[in-house]
Amino acid sequence: MQTYSHARSRELFARATKVIPGGVYGHLGPAEGCFMPVGAYPLFSSRAEGAYFWDVDGNRFIDYMCAYGPNILGYGDKDVEAAALAQLKEGNCVTAPSPRMVELAELMVDTVAMADWAFFCKNGGDTTMFALMIARAATGRARAVLTRGGYHGVAPWTQKEGHPGITSADVSNNLYVEFGDYEALERLFAEHHGEIACFMATPYHHPVFEDNRLPPEGYWQKVRALCDREGVVLAIDDVRCGFRLDTGGSDRHYGFEADLECFCKALANGWNVSAVCGKDSLKDAAGSVMYTGSYWLSAAPIAAAIACIGKMRELGAAGLCMEKGRKLTQGLAAAGRRHGFDLRISGEPSMWFMRIAGDDSWQTHQAWVAECVRRGVFFTNHHNHFINTALTDEDIAFTLEVADEAFAVVAKARR
Amino acid sequence: MDQHTLARVNLFALLRCLEDLPAVDAAARAIAEGKAETIQFTVGGVGAARLAIGGGRIEFLPGPGSKSIHLWFPKAEALNALFAGKGNPIPLKGLTKIAYLKGPFTILTERLGYYLRAKPELLADKGFKEANASLSLRAAVYALAEIGNSDREGRLNAARMPDGEVLLAAKGGPELTLESKGGRLACRKGLPARLRARMVFADLDSAGALLRGEMDSYTAIGSEKLELGGFVPLLDNMNKILGLVPRYLN
C-alpha cells in the first residue's frame, strides 16, 4: 500500500507559523492533537465530502475524527447544506432573529426527552459556562462538582490551576470526584451541604489519554436522586456524545433525566450552533442570566440544525453510528490479534477510544496510528474517535485492510 | 518571583552547568586543569552544593561534604544577589583563597554567562552557537527539575506527572533524563534506563532557537524541529513546568 507525503501541508504550516500563534492551534493542531510523529499527519485540508477529507497534497483520508464530532451525517450533507444555504439567501446575522430560532427550539423540545426549553449559543464551551451560571442563579450557591479528567471546554474554570493563564481564583469553586464513584459524590455533597450549585459531568467518561468508562449500573439513577435531595442542579455535558448515543439525549440513553443538557458537535453537522436544553424549573433562572454573543442567533446555522436533527431522527443516526462503530472496532481488535497486539476498545462504539495494551510508553500505539494515517485512515492517538452515518461497509473494509498492514509494519519494526 | 525557587535554580541548575563548560571553552578548560579546589555553597533554608574543580574537569556535587572553600549565604536572596552581580558571599572556610574566588572562579561564572546570555553578534559563530544551545538546554532541563520541586505552580504540575523517565535531548547534543517519581523530579545526564516519553530536538540549532525565544514550541513541534512521543501525560504536565523556566532563567 502506498503511503502519503505532505509537502504542501508543511509549506502552509511554515507560512502559518509566521502569522498565527502555534501555526495550527488547539485540538486540530499537531501539538494538542498529539500528532506523533508529526510527519505522518496532514496539517491542512482542501475539501471534505461524506466520510472523507482530502488534504492540501491531494491525499484522501477516511476521517474517524469527524472534525472532532460535528460531522455526523457526512461532510457536506446535501439536505443540511441546502437548508443553510437557503437561509443564507434570506438573511443570517440580522438585528432581529429569524423564525428559524423558534422552530429549532420547538424541534429540540420535541426531540430531546428532558427538554422543556432550548437556548442557543455557538460552541460547546458557551453551553457549559451557561449551564453553570444557570445553576448558580437558580440555587444561589457557588460551587460546581466536576469529574476528574472530564472536559467541559477551555474557559478558565474548566482548566487546571498551574496551567498557563489560569489562576487559583479561576478554579476555587470547583470540587472534583471520580466519574462513576457514587459514594464519593455522596460524601462530597455531605461535606459541602448547601454550597453546591451543580454537578456537571459527561454521560459517560470520555477523557483523553485513558480508557473511557461507561457509567456503572444504576449510577445515574442514584445521582439523580441525590441531586434532587440536595437541591443540586444536574447538568449533563452532552457536547461530545449528543446525538451519537440517542437522538433524544444521552441522559435518555442511560435512563435518567438531566436538569440541564448541553449540545454542540453533531447538532448541525458542522454548522456553528450549540444549545442548552433545560427543565421548566430552570427556565426563569436561564432567562435571568445575561448571556449572549454577536453570532449566537445567526439563522443559517440554526436552519442547518433543524435539517440535521430532522435527518438524524429519520435515519436513526445514533443507532446507525453505534452499529458501524461496533463492526469497525471488532474488526480493528481482530486485526491487532492477528499480529500479536491487544487493541483495547472502550467507551461507546459510535465514539470509541482505543489503545494497544501492554505498551507502557504508548510508542507502539503511536507508531500504529501513524502507519494508519500514512495510508489514508485518519485516527488520532489518545482521543476518542467518531463515526458518521456516511461511512460505508467499503470504508470499514478498507480501514481494516489498512489497520492490518499498519499492525504488520509495527510488528516487523518490533522484531 | 519565588526567591527560594530562584535560589534552587541558581544553586542546583546554573552551577551544575559549569560541569560542561570546559568542553566548549578554552578559559574554563585552563582553570579546570589548574589548581584543584572544592567550593561549597551553603544557602540558609535552601541547601548546599559543591563544585570540585581540578584534574581537567569541573564536577558538580549536590549536598555538603569535604571542601577547600566554603561560602555561606544566610538566605535565598543572598545567593540570588550574587548571581545577579549585586552581592557577595560570606566565606566560612578558605579565607586565604579569596584570590581564587575573585580570579578563576569569577572567570568561570563570567564564561558561563557569556554562553548563556548570548549576544546576537556572537551567534554568527557556529561553535559559539552550538555551545550556547548545548549549555542552554542543560540549564533549562536542570532548572525544570528544581522548579517542579519548588515553585508553587511547578509543584502543582509535577504532582500531575505520572512516574516515569523522559528523555530530553538534541540530536548531536546533550542527552538528559528527567525522572518523575511520586511527584518529585530529578535530572541526570544520559539516556533513560526505561524510556517512557521523549522530547528530542532535531538538532542543536533548533534547541538553541527555541531556548533563545526565536521559535515557539508549537512551531517547533509542527515543523518537526522538536519531536514529542510516548506517554503524553508525562510530557503534557512537564511542558507546563518548562513554560515556567524562562521566568527563572531570564
Side-chain angles (χ1 to χ4, degrees):
Chain A
M1 210 175 273
Q2 199 175 348
T3 55
Y4 293 166
S5 57
H6 311 286
R8 293 192 68 191
S9 262
R10 306 296 143 197
E11 285 167 23
L12 206 50
F13 188 79
R15 277 172 57 194
T17 58
K18 292 190 173 79
V19 288
I20 301 169
V24 183
Y25 50 84
H27 60 298
L28 301 188
E32 297 297 334
C34 293
F35 293 178
M36 294 173 174
V38 173
Y41 290 80
L43 299 174
F44 294 91
S45 64
S46 60
R47 68 187 180 95
E49 187 183 330
Y52 319 117
F53 78 85
W54 284 260
D55 70 7
V56 288
D57 289 278
N59 303 309
R60 189 199 80 164
F61 296 87
I62 299 180
D63 183 5
Y64 287 105
M65 291 313 292
C66 296
Y68 280 73
N71 173 30
I72 188 164
L73 297 174
Y75 289 117
D77 177 83
K78 61 179 175 28
D79 297 317
V80 175
E81 298 304 296
L85 294 176
Q87 184 58 48
L88 272 179
K89 284 181 186 163
E90 289 184 14
N92 183 36
C93 187
V94 181
T95 304
S98 143
R100 301 292 92 73
M101 174 186 171
V102 184
E103 291 163 17
L104 178 58
E106 288 169 347
L107 181 59
M108 290 206 74
V109 166
D110 187 54
T111 304
V112 176
M114 55 72 71
D116 293 321
W117 52 264
F119 181 105
F120 306 112
C121 328
K122 275 286 161 249
N123 284 293
D126 300 332
T127 66
T128 53
M129 181 74 250
F130 188 41
L132 178 57
M133 292 171 82
I134 295 169
R136 285 175 173 161
T139 61
R141 303 169 183 174
R143 290 190 183 275
V145 176
L146 310 172
T147 59
R148 281 191 196 92
Y151 180 83
H152 302 295
V154 291
W157 66 273
T158 68
Q159 299 201 38
K160 290 177 181 163
E161 185 184 0
H163 285 193
I166 308 302
T167 67
S168 56
D170 290 324
V171 295
S172 61
N173 283 312
N174 294 354
L175 300 167
Y176 300 94
V177 69
E178 287 300 315
F179 182 90
D181 187 345
Y182 173 75
E183 285 71 28
L185 184 68
E186 199 174 34
R187 279 196 302 278
L188 201 59
F189 274 35
E191 285 164 19
H192 296 275
H193 180 72
E195 298 173 13
I196 299 168
C198 94
F199 174 46
M200 184 179 292
T202 51
Y204 76 90
H205 197 46
H206 48 65
V208 286
F209 306 141
E210 59 183 270
D211 289 353
N212 289 185
R213 278 180 277 153
L214 302 184
E217 186 68 33
Y219 172 71
W220 278 123
Q221 289 69 28
K222 285 192 283 187
V223 170
R224 175 70 275 176
L226 178 67
C227 287
D228 287 344
R229 206 161 59 236
E230 295 286 332
V232 172
V233 173
L234 177 53
I236 291 300
D237 178 346
D238 214 4
V239 167
R240 208 183 294 180
C241 294
F243 307 110
R244 273 193 169 83
L245 311 190
D246 186 324
T247 312
S250 300
D251 53 347
R252 186 171 80 170
H253 182 74
Y254 292 120
F256 72 105
E257 271 200 356
D259 294 317
L260 295 171
E261 194 153 14
C262 303
F263 296 95
C264 184
K265 303 289 191 192
L267 177 59
N269 205 48
W271 286 84
N272 50 352
V273 59
S274 61
V276 177
C277 288
K279 306 289 286 179
D280 253 340
S281 57
L282 293 169
K283 196 171 168 194
D284 283 350
S288 75
V289 175
M290 172 54 187
Y291 206 57
T292 187
S294 298
Y295 306 101
W296 288 12
L297 306 186
S298 294
I302 286 177
I306 293 169
C308 185
I309 291 174
K311 194 157 181 179
M312 287 192 291
R313 284 172 61 158
E314 183 189 316
L315 290 174
L320 268 180
C321 289
M322 288 284 207
E323 187 188 316
K324 290 173 191 291
R326 228 168 263 125
K327 186 172 181 181
L328 175 75
T329 53
Q330 284 167 2
L332 290 172
R337 280 194 297 276
R338 280 196 295 279
H339 296 277
F341 296 101
D342 177 7
L343 185 72
R344 299 272 171 91
I345 308 291
S346 58
E348 295 283 7
S350 55
M351 39 186 287
W352 84 102
F353 180 89
M354 60 183 172
R355 72 175 169 91
I356 294 175
D359 175 21
D360 186 48
S361 72
W362 295 0
Q363 293 187 104
T364 305
H365 183 82
Q366 288 160 8
W368 174 68
V369 168
E371 293 303 332
C372 290
V373 176
R374 285 186 176 108
R375 289 162 176 78
V377 170
F378 196 92
F379 291 142
T380 192
N381 275 307
H382 309 297
H383 191 286
N384 74 274
H385 295 81
F386 297 91
I387 298 283
N388 66 81
T389 62
L391 187 75
T392 65
D393 281 350
E394 290 72 31
D395 295 329
I396 292 175
F398 177 75
T399 302
L400 297 180
E401 198 182 321
V402 165
D404 189 85
E405 185 170 305
F407 275 126
V409 170
V410 176
K412 191 177 172 190
R414 198 159 69 159
R415 280 196 293 271
Chain B
M1 190 185 307
D2 169 7
Q3 290 294 315
H4 181 86
T5 302
L6 179 60
R8 289 197 66 88
V9 167
N10 285 329
L11 186 61
F12 297 112
L14 282 180
L15 280 184
R16 192 174 178 181
C17 288
L18 288 173
E19 281 191 325
D20 297 287
L21 196 58
V24 298
D25 185 79
R29 211 156 37 241
I31 292 168
E33 283 162 359
K35 191 168 185 290
E37 295 285 1
T38 298
I39 311 171
Q40 178 169 319
F41 298 76
T42 303
V43 187
V46 175
R50 290 172 297 149
L51 284 173
I53 304 166
R57 57 201 289 260
I58 298 175
E59 190 179 4
F60 176 83
L61 303 160
S66 63
K67 63 267 185 187
S68 54
I69 302 173
H70 190 185
L71 304 179
W72 161 251
F73 301 84
K75 55 184 183 177
E77 285 82 350
L79 180 76
N80 298 337
L82 175 79
F83 275 79
K86 296 172 186 166
N88 291 302
I90 302 166
L92 295 183
K93 183 181 179 184
L95 294 173
T96 58
K97 294 173 179 171
I98 294 293
Y100 186 86
L101 291 174
K102 288 189 171 174
F105 179 70
T106 301
I107 292 171
L108 284 179
T109 55
E110 283 173 357
R111 294 307 290 169
L112 183 63
Y114 168 78
Y115 288 103
L116 289 180
R117 289 189 287 272
K119 290 180 180 161
E121 61 272 22
L122 295 174
L123 291 168
D125 179 80
K126 188 170 178 286
F128 177 87
K129 200 174 180 184
E130 282 184 3
N132 161 262
S134 174
L135 289 168
S136 299
L137 180 58
R138 290 176 199 281
V141 177
Y142 298 154
L144 162 67
E146 298 309 320
I147 293 166
N149 291 335
S150 177
D151 176 88
R152 186 174 173 278
E153 287 178 39
R155 280 188 282 118
L156 282 170
N157 287 303
R160 294 175 186 133
M161 286 176 70
D163 289 356
E165 292 183 332
V166 187
L167 169 65
L168 295 113
K171 286 177 185 164
E175 290 170 332
L176 302 160
T177 293
L178 183 80
E179 184 184 15
S180 162
K181 195 170 184 183
R184 297 281 301 172
L185 306 180
C187 184
R188 65 170 186 275
K189 292 178 182 176
L191 296 171
R194 192 159 175 265
L195 182 144
R196 205 166 186 208
R198 63 186 189 282
M199 174 182 273
V200 179
F201 288 96
D203 46 46
L204 266 176
D205 260 2
S206 302
L210 189 135
L211 292 163
R212 290 190 299 271
E214 296 161 11
M215 175 169 61
D216 67 85
S217 59
Y218 286 90
T219 299
I221 294 165
S223 54
E224 299 177 78
K225 302 285 188 193
L226 175 59
E227 184 196 353
L228 300 178
F231 196 64
V232 182
L234 261 175
L235 294 171
D236 201 23
N237 293 300
M238 183 189 78
N239 283 341
K240 303 291 189 301
I241 307 172
L242 261 180
L244 302 175
V245 167
R247 285 189 199 171
Y248 289 95
L249 286 188
N250 288 347

